[in-house]
Amino acid sequence: MRHVYSCPLRWADMDAFGHVNNVVFLRYLEEARIDFMFRLAPGDGSPSFSGGSVVARHEIDYVRPLVHRHAPVTIESWVTRISAASLTIAYEIKDAATPEQEETVYVRASTVVVPYDLEAGRPRRISAEEKAFLEEYMDDAGSAGKRPEKQSEAVAA
């Protein structure tokens, strides 16, 4: 299963070349990741993911430029790895396929996230409840992390 987030584009996201700046994609990934992780946020007394988390690593392949428009972009997220004290989330930032148009992928990325105990000031282990939630989104067959097929189309402004 994948988490789907609809991310609005902002006028300020564009750079001098008229497309979304490479750094802005990290913000898009953050928005999708927070939306995904807080699906298990406390609300029914669960302490899951309430202590915080930190990003240990990002990896991004820019596949094609994304030009500003009013329609949001789709960000699909899924889990590719769970260890005792970290997880890897993969993403695709894209326009989904429609009957009139093929799927268009702009970015493939992954993030290593480490649960963090803010009070103790150190990383912590993933709880059984968190692991059960994350396993629902486990998919190591996803395409994030693969190199774009046509490197000549890659964009890194």
Side-chain angles (χ1 to χ4, degrees):
M1 174 167 51
R2 292 186 177 190
H3 173 264
V4 178
Y5 176 72
S6 180
C7 185
L9 306 181
R10 292 158 287 275
W11 182 255
D13 295 348
M14 278 194 305
D15 62 16
F17 301 109
H19 59 265
V20 174
N21 184 274
N22 69 89
V23 174
V24 173
F25 284 104
L26 287 171
R27 290 188 200 118
Y28 293 171
L29 299 178
E30 178 184 49
E31 287 180 36
R33 185 174 60 255
I34 288 170
D35 189 69
F36 169 61
M37 304 267 308
F38 280 93
R39 299 274 173 180
L40 188 62
D44 59 355
S46 168
S48 292
F49 296 119
S50 62
S53 62
V54 294
V55 170
R57 175 186 166 94
H58 284 299
E59 184 175 326
I60 300 178
D61 289 324
Y62 299 94
V63 180
R64 63 181 35 91
L66 174 59
V67 177
H68 181 271
R69 77 241 182 148
H70 295 290
V73 69
T74 298
I75 304 176
E76 290 186 3
S77 310
W78 63 97
V79 177
T80 59
R81 186 175 136 309
I82 303 170
S83 70
S86 71
L87 63 126
T88 302
I89 300 172
Y91 318 82
E92 284 185 338
I93 299 178
K94 63 186 180 180
D95 290 327
T98 65
E100 300 84 34
Q101 179 180 320
E102 289 185 28
E103 176 181 89
T104 303
V105 176
Y106 301 103
V107 166
R108 290 188 178 102
S110 65
T111 302
V112 176
V113 178
V114 176
Y116 199 78
D117 183 332
L118 295 173
E119 289 182 17
R122 61 184 166 88
R124 65 170 179 81
R125 294 195 169 278
I126 293 174
S127 72
E129 182 183 22
E130 291 166 339
K131 185 175 181 180
F133 169 78
L134 295 168
E135 285 175 339
E136 292 180 33
Y137 292 91
M138 190 74 175
D139 178 4
D140 60 4
S143 58
K146 289 184 181 177
R147 296 283 176 217
E149 291 178 21
K150 295 182 181 177
Q151 285 290 335
S152 63
E153 291 182 340
V155 175

